Amino acid sequence: PKIKYEPVSKQDMKIDCVDKGLPTLVISDGKIVEEALKNVSKIDVLNELKSRKLSVGEVFIMTVDRVGEFVVIRKECEK
């Protein structure tokens, strides 16, 4: 069968796409994952937390990708 329409691609829209790769787990349940420090410096991790006014213990999950973008999920407050 002949396809009348095809999905638009990033090239069609002239959108640059950076491959960020899989994120690296940096903090898990309030503890720094030492293995992750091969990919990112501890100073960068602590500076990122400082800019968000967080301590390591307040973080449930923290990841970083190849371009240096961090994602932080805070621990939920216990009642």
Side-chain angles (χ1 to χ4, degrees):
K2 184 176 177 182
I3 298 174
K4 188 172 182 179
Y5 300 103
E6 291 187 24
V8 67
S9 70
K10 292 177 206 149
Q11 292 82 13
D12 295 334
M13 299 297 295
K14 297 181 178 28
I15 297 173
D16 290 331
C17 182
V18 176
D19 179 16
K20 296 180 181 182
L22 294 173
T24 300
L25 183 64
V26 177
I27 296 176
S28 177
D29 199 19
K31 296 183 178 114
I32 293 179
V33 178
E34 295 298 323
E35 185 75 15
L37 298 180
K38 293 177 182 176
N39 300 326
V40 63
S41 76
K42 191 172 186 176
I43 292 170
D44 289 342
V45 172
L46 296 176
N47 284 339
E48 182 67 22
L49 291 176
K50 185 177 179 180
S51 73
R52 296 175 186 237
K53 297 182 171 86
L54 292 171
S55 69
V56 173
E58 294 175 291
V59 176
F60 178 60
I61 297 284
M62 180 180 199
T63 63
V64 65
D65 61 26
R66 276 193 257 169
V67 295
E69 292 179 0
F70 289 92
V71 174
V72 177
I73 300 172
R74 294 179 67 158
K75 287 184 177 182
E76 291 185 11
C77 296
E78 295 181 21
K79 295 179 182 181

